[in-house]
Amino acid sequence: MVIAGWAGIGKTTLAKKYKNCIDLESSAYKWVYSDEDKNNSEKLKGDKTRIPNPDYPTNYINAIIDASKKYDVVCVWSHPTHALAYYDQYGIDYVLCYPTKDANDEYTNRMKSRGNTDEFIKSLNNIYEKRFEEFNNNPHKKIILNPHETLEDKLLEMGIKLIKRAN
């Protein structure tokens, strides 16, 4: 299952907790990062000085296809024109996952706690209303999160088998 998820829904947490899940953070494919920058990807989101990776989006699409062969759940970026359109173009079926409008404040707090910059968070909040409508109008399956729900909660509720990593 490929899940195209909004920021803060728990993609990274899910991948850290379960060995049959992976979070393919798009930044590692879309931008050229130094080794030091790779460890600070949350703080670099929205940074206007990043250098675009000339291999994007092919490198990201290939990574998704490869990961889909190895993992039960592959979490990916959900931008309508910079990601979802590519998934459609390359025949990657995906499920959209995003919070309801009344949960957006909670997601803002999640982004702050994980180290995203205020500028990045503000940019997401400014486009959320538009994204919410775009996601709702998208023909793919959806997982819509209510306040206090995470992607993990919904997958477990759906009966998806998640295999915990050894401590």
Side-chain angles (χ1 to χ4, degrees):
M1 173 187 293
V2 175
I3 298 176
W6 183 253
I9 63 165
K11 299 182 299 288
T12 302
T13 300
L14 187 78
K16 286 179 180 177
K17 190 172 179 179
Y18 298 101
K19 64 183 177 181
N20 61 329
C21 303
I22 188 169
D23 178 17
L24 291 180
E25 166 57 50
S26 63
S27 297
Y29 300 90
K30 188 169 179 165
W31 307 105
V32 176
Y33 285 132
S34 68
D35 287 339
E36 182 181 327
D37 288 344
K38 288 177 187 174
N39 296 326
N40 295 312
S41 64
E42 291 300 336
K43 290 181 180 177
L44 292 171
K45 288 181 178 178
D47 183 341
K48 306 283 189 237
T49 65
R50 295 179 293 180
I51 300 167
N53 185 332
D55 296 328
Y56 182 83
T58 306
N59 62 344
Y60 193 47
I61 295 300
N62 289 338
I64 293 168
I65 292 168
D66 289 345
S68 295
K69 296 172 187 172
K70 300 173 188 170
Y71 296 90
D72 296 322
V73 178
V74 179
C75 297
V76 297
W77 194 26
S78 65
H79 191 285
T81 55
H82 297 287
L84 302 181
Y86 293 126
Y87 308 154
D88 289 337
Q89 179 183 343
Y90 288 90
I92 296 173
D93 191 25
Y94 60 89
V95 176
L96 274 166
C97 184
Y98 53 99
T100 60
K101 290 180 185 180
D102 58 334
N104 200 37
D105 287 344
E106 178 182 333
Y107 286 82
T108 296
N109 290 333
R110 288 182 191 183
M111 287 182 270
K112 284 180 185 176
S113 69
R114 71 181 190 186
N116 291 125
T117 65
D118 289 339
E119 182 181 343
F120 176 75
I121 294 167
K122 184 179 176 184
S123 72
L124 286 182
N125 284 336
N126 287 341
I127 62 166
Y128 186 70
E129 191 82 25
K130 178 182 177 186
R131 290 291 182 262
F132 186 85
E133 296 308 318
E134 289 172 326
F135 294 160
N136 278 342
N137 292 325
N138 184 296
H140 288 265
K141 292 178 186 171
K142 296 165 186 68
I143 298 172
I144 302 174
L145 302 174
N146 292 310
H148 312 296
E149 287 183 324
T150 64
L151 175 58
E152 177 185 13
D153 297 331
K154 286 294 194 177
L155 292 176
L156 291 170
E157 184 180 297
M158 293 166 57
I160 304 297
K161 183 170 175 59
L162 300 175
I163 303 167
K164 285 194 177 188
R165 293 185 185 277
N167 288 341

